[in-house]
Amino acid sequence: MDPQKGVENLLVTCAEARPGDRLLIAYEPADLGYFDADILRDVTDGARRLGLQVHAVDVGFSPRAPQLPEDFLDRLAQTDVVLFLARLGDQLRFSDMPAGPTFVVCFALNSQLLGSRFGTADYRAFVDLKQAVDRRLLAAQRVVVTCPAGTHVEGAAATGTQNLDDTTSRRFPMSVFSPVPAAGFSGRVALGGFLTGTGSQYYDGYTVTFDGQVFAHLEAGRLTGFSGAAGDVAKANAQYDRVSSLFGIDRDFVHSWHAGLHPGCGFPWPMRSHFERWGGAAFGNPRVLHFHTCGAYAPGEISWNLFDPTISVDGVALWENGRFYPDRLPEGAEILARFPSAAAAFATPDREVGLGDAS
């Protein structure tokens, strides 16, 4: 584990900071139980060793209607890079950011993850892979998503789609491709034993768990119902009724979906011990695919998570049983050849996503 190498990948390779640049770190206190204290310390120390001017601001955590604090906004004119070590960055990742600084949202929650292959494999490799996947999905005639639990969804991006929508801040590490609009997809999704929020807003009853297998059914980007044991189906419908009413949003809208593409993204803690933390970190592992639902905007307020997806794009399985195979992209082998640290991560992927079944 080498957190300093992760700091350099974060600040130099991703944020493109240079000696003398002014770095503003927006953090939330470790006692909130999300980001560990060590990552703030190591990033601050590492940034100073790189010659950056560092200022850190506690932005706390606001479960609802998140926004940049006024005193924080006042500092932006004197800032080159803004780094979020706070859920606020994730909550605002699809929002427009003020002009000027480079904004980066960090999904490594502690120095353990920052110093692992998740944080140290060259950021640029995953930007290139993400763009290659985006291009392939945009041009695809038929995309089929399946999983061992019984998912079968198929469709394609709408004819005439020029670009896939993405976040307005840089993600570090780059660990997912752009969300694929769900309007052109139909089928059923085998939920991974729960429904949970998306990290957009936080609310009481953020996660509900099921006793058995539940399937979510969609037709052309609309939720048409759930199937499974009667009690589980009732629980799922109640969650959608409650959350859509709470925020005044379109209950049955399924906005988009994407899967993890970073083989170094591990989650070495039990998923059920902290669903909020799991949802904000583990989604970048290729074993996880999630849909943004409940609300006609990204990322919605309820996510569907399925495990070990196979994603076939015009007959080519780019993901197979939870493993992403970049060499099956036309430009994939060349990307891995340019970035040996990324190739090493793919050679020995981290299969731990909080299920306790990694092997």
Side-chain angles (χ1 to χ4, degrees), residues 241-307:
D241 291 343
R242 187 175 67 84
V243 174
S244 61
S245 176
L246 180 64
F247 296 111
I249 54 181
D250 188 337
R251 177 191 191 276
D252 297 329
F253 197 96
V254 181
H255 184 276
S256 53
W257 61 273
H258 52 184
L261 54 76
H262 201 307
C265 179
F267 191 84
W269 309 283
M271 173 182 66
R272 291 174 180 264
S273 67
H274 200 318
F275 273 106
E276 291 94 336
R277 209 173 191 224
W278 179 87
F283 67 91
N285 191 294
R287 293 191 64 193
V288 182
L289 182 151
H290 69 272
F291 282 76
H292 305 135
T293 83
C294 196
Y297 53 89
E301 299 299 340
I302 299 176
S303 66
W304 298 343
N305 291 272
L306 64 95
F307 296 104

Side-chain angles (χ1 to χ4, degrees), residues 57-60 67-75 84 88 92:
V57 176
D58 179 353
V59 294
Q67 56 185 344
L68 296 172
E70 285 299 324
D71 60 339
F72 183 84
L73 289 168
D74 291 341
R75 295 181 181 275
F84 287 100
L88 178 62
L92 297 175

Side-chain angles (χ1 to χ4, degrees), residues 19 40 78-79 101 105 107 153 157 187 223 252 260 313 341 357:
L40 175 61
Q78 292 79 44
T79 299
V105 180
F107 293 99
V153 174
L223 168 65
D252 297 329
V313 182
S341 61
D357 65 346

Side-chain angles (χ1 to χ4, degrees), residues 53 123-124 133 148 151 197 234 241 244 252 267 278 280 308 310 322 346:
Q53 303 174 50
Y123 170 82
R124 296 168 296 181
V133 172
T151 295
D241 291 343
S244 61
D252 297 329
F267 191 84
W278 179 87
D308 295 325
T310 293
F346 279 102

Side-chain angles (χ1 to χ4, degrees), residues 57-198:
V57 176
D58 179 353
V59 294
F61 170 61
S62 177
R64 304 272 190 89
Q67 56 185 344
L68 296 172
E70 285 299 324
D71 60 339
F72 183 84
L73 289 168
D74 291 341
R75 295 181 181 275
L76 296 185
Q78 292 79 44
T79 299
D80 298 298
V81 175
V82 176
L83 171 64
F84 287 100
L85 298 178
R87 277 171 284 185
L88 178 62
D90 193 24
Q91 289 173 299
L92 297 175
R93 66 192 183 277
F94 289 102
S95 304
D96 290 333
M97 289 297 189
T102 297
F103 289 85
V104 179
V105 180
C106 182
F107 293 99
L109 303 184
N110 57 23
S111 289
Q112 176 183 346
L113 297 179
L114 184 64
S116 72
R117 281 183 170 161
F118 185 44
T120 61
D122 198 303
Y123 170 82
R124 296 168 296 181
F126 295 93
V127 172
D128 288 354
L129 289 172
K130 176 251 185 196
Q131 292 172 347
V133 172
D134 286 354
R135 289 191 295 268
R136 191 70 189 88
L137 289 169
L138 196 62
Q141 298 298 305
R142 183 170 180 259
V143 179
V144 180
V145 177
T146 60
C147 82
T151 295
H152 188 101
V153 174
E154 60 182 278
T159 301
T161 302
Q162 299 297 310
N163 294 289
L164 298 178
D165 293 332
D166 206 359
T167 57
T168 54
S169 298
R170 297 185 188 185
R171 289 188 296 262
F172 179 86
M174 177 62 74
S175 55
V176 286
F177 51 85
S178 298
V180 179
F185 288 82
S186 300
R188 72 176 191 174
V189 174
L191 302 179
F194 59 93
L195 292 170
T196 192
T198 62

Side-chain angles (χ1 to χ4, degrees), residues 165-238:
D165 293 332
D166 206 359
T167 57
T168 54
S169 298
R170 297 185 188 185
R171 289 188 296 262
F172 179 86
M174 177 62 74
S175 55
V176 286
F177 51 85
S178 298
V180 179
F185 288 82
S186 300
R188 72 176 191 174
V189 174
L191 302 179
F194 59 93
L195 292 170
T196 192
T198 62
S200 170
Q201 302 191 80
Y202 292 80
Y203 44 86
D204 292 339
Y206 188 78
T207 302
V208 295
T209 59
F210 303 125
D211 295 325
Q213 181 61 65
V214 176
F215 293 93
H217 300 265
L218 72 154
E219 183 68 33
R222 301 287 299 180
L223 168 65
T224 59
F226 298 96
S227 61
D232 284 339
V233 169
K235 192 183 294 186
N237 280 315

